[in-house]
Amino acid sequence: MKKEEKSKISCEKILNAAIAEFGTKSYSDASLNTICNSNQISKGLIYHNFKNKDELYLRCLEVCFTEFTAFLQKACLDTDDFHENTRKLLELRNEFFTRNPYYSNIFFHSIFQPPRHLLKEIRNIRREFDNFHAGYYRKTIESITLRKEMDEETAMEYFFIFQEMFNCYFQVKAYETSDFYSLVADHETKLPNMLDIILYGIAEKERNV
């Protein structure tokens, strides 16, 4: 076996072990020692392929967001029906996370309890994911009548503001409860209502003549 092939196999073994570790724990609770001891991987091999725990975590996060975004991009959102499109997206989210429970944990921990010193890197990793949802929302607002004082760019700005507020709300709750999975379920339940409120908060009100 060539040296390059052996190195690739070693890197993949480390990454798969790390995905399992970060996929069952928070960033702070995950341990390189556990990855090594549970998978017969030497710490020297990890440091040969990854600079430190941060780099390994970010690589796991990148794999998660890349695969999740690619999965969502397969959605056939060819209707102007906002509620139907939202239903399809939520079904796809649930399907993806049911198939990939490790990714579910990695994804939601990066939203609710992100390591503060890696916020910039996490933001960069999720850029394509955010762009996908921005495109979905932009397509939606193009199909409705906006308030007279509202334009598309302002509507998009409010979308991102409300999204950050929504996630911050759950970040606070994440530190108040030990039941992380109930928090995830609550987030997914409230998400379509949040999107609905954002959308119809910028739509032109109907007035009786």
Side-chain angles (χ1 to χ4, degrees), residues 7 23 59 61 68 146 166 176 197 209:
S7 179
R59 179 64 183 129
L61 195 64
F68 187 27
L146 297 175
F166 183 69
E176 296 175 346
I197 290 171
V209 178

Side-chain angles (χ1 to χ4, degrees), residues 80-82 85 135-144 199:
D80 289 334
D81 188 333
F82 165 76
N85 286 338
Y136 155 68
Y137 191 69
R138 185 179 293 278
K139 180 180 178 181
T140 299
I141 65 176
E142 286 173 352
S143 67
I144 64 175
L199 178 64

Side-chain angles (χ1 to χ4, degrees), residues 10-11 13-14 40-50:
S10 297
C11 188
K13 181 179 180 180
I14 295 169
Q40 292 76 55
I41 298 173
S42 71
K43 190 166 287 188
L45 186 61
I46 288 182
Y47 286 121
H48 177 73
N49 289 274
F50 299 92

